[in-house]
Amino acid sequence: MNKIEFTINGKKVATQVEGRTLLVNLIRDELKLTGTHVGCDTSQCGCCTIHLDGKSVKSCAMLAAQADGANIVTIEGMADGDKLHPVQQAFTECHGLQCGFCTPGMIMTAASILKDHPQPTEEQIVKGLEGNLCRCTGYINIIKSVHRAAELMKA
Amino acid sequence: MQPSRREDLRLIAGHGRYSSDWNLPNQLHASVLRSTHAAARIARIDTAPALAAPGVKAVLTHLDVERAGYKSIVGGVATKDKNGELMKKPFYPILATDRVCHVGQAVAFVVAETPEQAQDAVDLIEVEYEESPAIVTFADARAPGAPAVHADIPGNLSFVHEHGDEAKTAAAFAGAKFVTKVRVDSQRLICNPMEPRACLASFDAATGRYLLHAASQGLIAPRVHLQQITGVPATDIDLIVEDVGGSFGIRSSPYPEYMLSMLASKTLGVPVKWTGSRTDTFLSDYHGRALSLTGEVALDDKGNILAFRWEDEIDLGAYAGPFGAFIGTQNVSIMCGGVYRVPSVFVRSCLAYTNTTPVSSYRGAGRPDIAYAIERLIDQAAQEHGFDNLELRRRNFITPAEMPHTTAAGQTYDCGDFPAVLEHALKTVDWSGFPARRTQSEKRGKLRGIGLASYIEAAAAGAQPKDQTAARVAADGTITIYCMAGGSGQGHETTFVSVFAGVLDVAPDAIQYRASDPAFAMIGNGTGGSRTAAGQGSSFTLLAQALLAKARPHAAKALGVAEVSYAKGVFSGGGKSITLKDLARQVAPADAGTHPFDSEAEGSYGATYPNGCHIAEIEIDPDTGVTDLLRYVAVDDLGNILQPMIVEGQVHGGVAQGWGQMFGEHAVYDRESGQFLTASFMDYPMPRAGWLPNSGHFDRVPHPVPTKKNLLGAKGVGESGCSGSLPALMNAMMHAVRPAGVKELQMPVTPAVLWRALRDARAKAA
Ligand code: FES
Ligand code: FES
């Protein structure tokens, strides 16, 4: 067992984890933040995407022990109270989600695309979403949502 | 801020509740041992080492399942063949008995304190397999001397389904001036909803009831199937489903892990949770498509269609999966004349077993496949016999003046305007400007093609006789409405509530919606066949009317008048008024008993015929074989559209899945070993962002011809995107490569396939 401490959605957490525990399992099973999803076992789908020290990472591709000292934000930490994050708002406005299973990961990835490229081109968005799969939307409205979020964030 | 859909707020905030998000105190965790062989006898299973492992509480095998009296998984059709024989179907065990018939078949079920312990213990179970030869394709299954998947089913032949008039069709072919024949493969696919399967079962010894959390598409079929398999009455199974991460047809019936979790929970006295992985999805979710259709068309000298004839090869997989046999029988045959005036049709479908994962419905379940085949056939016939491919269609379309039209396949199309839909699409895409665009592409060394498809499908019919809905009114006047269909991204909460609230003339926010509540012993279809708007939607219309009819006399009494009028949620009369909500509060029983406005409604609505014309324009880089979809136009007659944004999303998603099938997706088994070669996202190409044209190059244009077969005039949308896109994309592809000498292609047309075909054609020409 490893003792770790980190911050998640602004709260400090201290816990013990098995060496092999994946970060996503710690988040979902122990911290009960089930908005972060598991869609695959080969790090391909991006459903598990979170922000770790300001960068988007796939939480299924990291051990929990590696998160020691990190500052983590999950989908549950994106809204500011009742005020949605602009990316969240854009996703509902543009119908960027259907079943919603890929959505937390998409939103986390989109937010980080916009951090790197506040006014992203179509190519930058597509490239940024490369590691996120969606089976419902055909991505058309997801890409639209990212453009819209850029607009909302500029305003 | 107002979300676009009612379901959005929780889903974008991470507060959705999917199958694996449910937990119960003291729950144990399960893991499944799956077969590593395609065909083998199980000589021995030793579970002792697993049972002795840390945390392990139970290891279930087929012996436990048999002891519990559990029966075969439900599937197959009850129709008889022309000799009066029923479909041959083997016992489909929940856990393999003395043999395994496909890679991934469940063999044992381990229950332990943690998921990791359960997984570790799975590896400790010793199974001695005696391998035998496997067959993984229809052709191999039907070859003389092929190994039998099931010893008592000769030639691996399950069923031969015939539909139409064989003699009349043969006569039409004998008298035809032109005949064209095309074979199309609709390859085996993995449905791959983004949410892998999971379940949580809890048995309550005091009441004898089960609580089950598992993704489903509705409340009736899964529980009825569970009853047939486990003997537990459906009414004793509380199936509670909130959010479902995509279904596409494969979640309409229960999977072995659900019964095993129920059994384990009963045996161990605590809740049992199973969380499937993506590998479980690939290996053990029912697969999709897996069929080949060979069609012939007979034409007279002017190009009038005289007859269609079909020979279909349907791969069922190792067992008759829940809805697998419907695809190869009913679904591919009833629409086999398409949008055309065809005097005679005949279909023969052979359904065979192979050593592969069983097949069930996947978005369209046979309907996209037949639409694809028909439209390939029409284009090919035009090409071969010198007809213009638009003229050939125009000449043979069933016209609005001929509606209602009963087809030779026995369907009665109630309405539709196929000629106008075609013209609408041609105009939208600027069809006549194509030659100039092709010249531009040629200048850049690219091959360009344009292809269209006039598709039609039968939708909205359901297996249940009617769709019931209910409204319950709380003491505070809040109305909650219920139905039996389960959503998985279609936006039911938004659509149904707006239909209901629309009739009541109140803001949708005033209404609550609850799907699939087992407390309601209602009849109603699950989600499937693009049917919920037409079926449940219409029933919700009646429900709102019923509730108003109940409220009206109470309003008159409250206002002290004989007659009241009603508008915008307010009853008025004698110069006074009262809102529906206030009235509901006023008349609520003091004891929280039945509210006088509680209402029920039901309706039965027949099949509808969504149709449309999809056009794809593509450009190919011959040096790499990479295809770029430049433009996509979908002009659809989906009847009345209730929620334009949701309908658009359904079309996008359907076309994306068609794109996936056309350009990449393929579930491949090794022909020798029967091993499954494409069992992960690294081997199975899923469509990714940017592969479809962006919204500026994807035109989706409604062309509604409302149906009178339901109260809303809706025809349905869920599956049309697949039915339109497969043929449009392939026709565009053939149009692009035919000048380069490529005569035939089958899906998936991957860059490698295309590059090789172009190279071979060049070599042949040289
Ligand atoms: S679950 Fe992390 S990438 Fe799929
Ligand atoms: S919305 Fe369903 S997977 Fe993306």
Side-chain angles (χ1 to χ4, degrees), chain A residues 20 28 35 37-41 44 75 84 88 92 95 97-101 122 126 130 135-137 139, chain B residues 4-5 8 12 14 18 20-21 116 120 190-192 194 277-279 488 645 649 653 657 665 687-688 694:
Chain A
R20 63 172 171 174
R28 285 182 53 81
H37 296 152
V38 179
C40 74
D41 40 18
Q44 302 281 303
I75 187 68
L84 293 175
Q88 291 174 311
T92 177
H95 193 30
L97 67 151
Q98 291 184 26
C99 79
F101 195 81
E122 186 91 2
V126 163
E130 226 166 36
R135 193 52 150 170
C136 300
T137 63
Y139 304 93
Chain B
S4 296
R5 297 189 312 169
D8 284 357
I12 54 175
Y18 299 88
S20 68
D21 298 341
E116 291 81 11
D120 289 347
I190 308 298
C191 313
N192 270 329
M194 289 318 297
S277 65
R278 181 58 52 181
T279 303
S488 51
M645 188 190 71
Q657 289 182 351
E665 296 182 42
R688 284 175 195 265
N694 65 24

Side-chain angles (χ1 to χ4, degrees), chain B residues 352-700:
Chain B
Y353 293 109
T354 58
N355 292 107
T356 59
T357 299
V359 174
S360 196
S361 340
Y362 169 63
R363 205 165 199 164
R367 288 137 56 211
D369 316 70
I370 188 68
Y372 170 51
I374 292 170
E375 287 301 276
R376 281 289 304 122
L377 188 55
I378 295 292
D379 250 30
Q380 185 66 24
Q383 170 70 23
E384 274 178 24
H385 305 300
F387 294 105
D388 177 82
N389 65 345
L390 303 179
E391 282 312 315
L392 190 60
R393 287 182 169 87
R394 288 181 183 125
R395 167 177 288 274
N396 287 288
F397 277 145
I398 300 161
T399 62
E402 292 166 281
M403 299 285 180
H405 177 88
T406 299
T407 67
Q411 295 289 296
T412 301
Y413 302 167
D414 59 314
C415 64
D417 192 344
F418 314 140
V421 167
L422 171 72
E423 301 312 323
H424 194 163
L426 294 175
K427 197 161 162 247
T428 308
V429 80
D430 182 19
W431 182 272
S432 55
F434 175 79
R437 299 197 291 274
R438 182 180 249 181
T439 308
Q440 288 302 317
S441 294
E442 279 166 356
K443 280 192 192 139
R444 289 183 282 114
K446 304 280 175 73
L447 305 172
R448 194 169 182 126
I450 191 166
L452 78 101
S454 294
Y455 76 91
I456 187 165
E457 44 176 24
Q464 302 294 329
K466 53 188 165 189
D467 291 309
Q468 295 181 320
T469 51
R472 291 293 174 265
V473 184
D476 68 353
T478 312
I479 303 171
T480 306
I481 58 174
Y482 299 83
C483 75
M484 294 285 103
S488 51
Q490 301 87 346
H492 285 177
E493 291 169 54
T494 304
T495 303
F496 294 156
V497 168
S498 85
V499 166
F500 183 83
V503 177
L504 288 189
D505 208 2
V506 297
D509 295 350
I511 312 295
Q512 303 293 320
Y513 170 76
R514 178 84 175 80
S516 301
D517 189 324
F520 286 81
M522 296 192 291
I523 297 173
N525 287 284
T527 302
S530 305
R531 70 170 315 286
T532 51
Q536 272 83 1
S538 296
S539 186
F540 278 122
T541 305
L542 295 174
L543 184 68
Q545 290 164 352
L547 188 141
L548 274 185
K550 285 191 169 185
R552 206 169 267 276
H554 289 273
K557 203 168 146 205
L559 298 178
V561 293
E563 279 295 318
V564 289
S565 61
Y566 179 83
K568 297 206 180 325
V570 181
F571 288 103
S572 312
K576 288 182 286 181
S577 65
I578 185 167
T579 67
L580 175 62
K581 184 153 187 176
D582 285 341
L583 181 68
R585 214 166 8 217
Q586 243 175 54
V587 303
D591 60 353
T594 307
H595 192 284
F597 299 175
D598 284 356
S599 307
E600 286 81 29
E602 63 179 47
S604 286
Y605 310 97
T608 58
Y609 299 93
N611 62 87
C613 180
H614 286 202
I615 300 181
E617 191 163 329
I618 62 167
E619 191 178 69
I620 297 164
D621 181 344
D623 295 333
T624 60
V626 171
T627 304
D628 213 356
L629 177 53
L630 302 174
R631 185 84 197 282
Y632 198 89
V633 167
V635 176
D636 295 304
D637 166 16
L638 308 168
N640 284 337
I641 289 174
L642 309 182
Q643 296 285 332
M645 188 190 71
I646 287 175
V647 166
E648 175 174 75
Q650 287 291 319
V651 175
H652 288 170
V655 172
Q657 289 182 351
W659 193 104
Q661 177 164 17
M662 171 68 189
F663 291 110
E665 296 182 42
H666 193 185
V668 183
Y669 285 86
D670 182 65
R671 203 165 157 225
E672 288 303 309
S673 65
Q675 286 299 319
F676 189 19
L677 303 178
T678 54
S680 84
F681 282 149
M682 294 192 289
D683 311 294
Y684 186 92
M686 294 277 283
R688 284 175 195 265
W691 293 9
L692 283 185
N694 65 24
S695 41
H697 296 94
F698 191 121
D699 286 296
R700 193 199 54 87

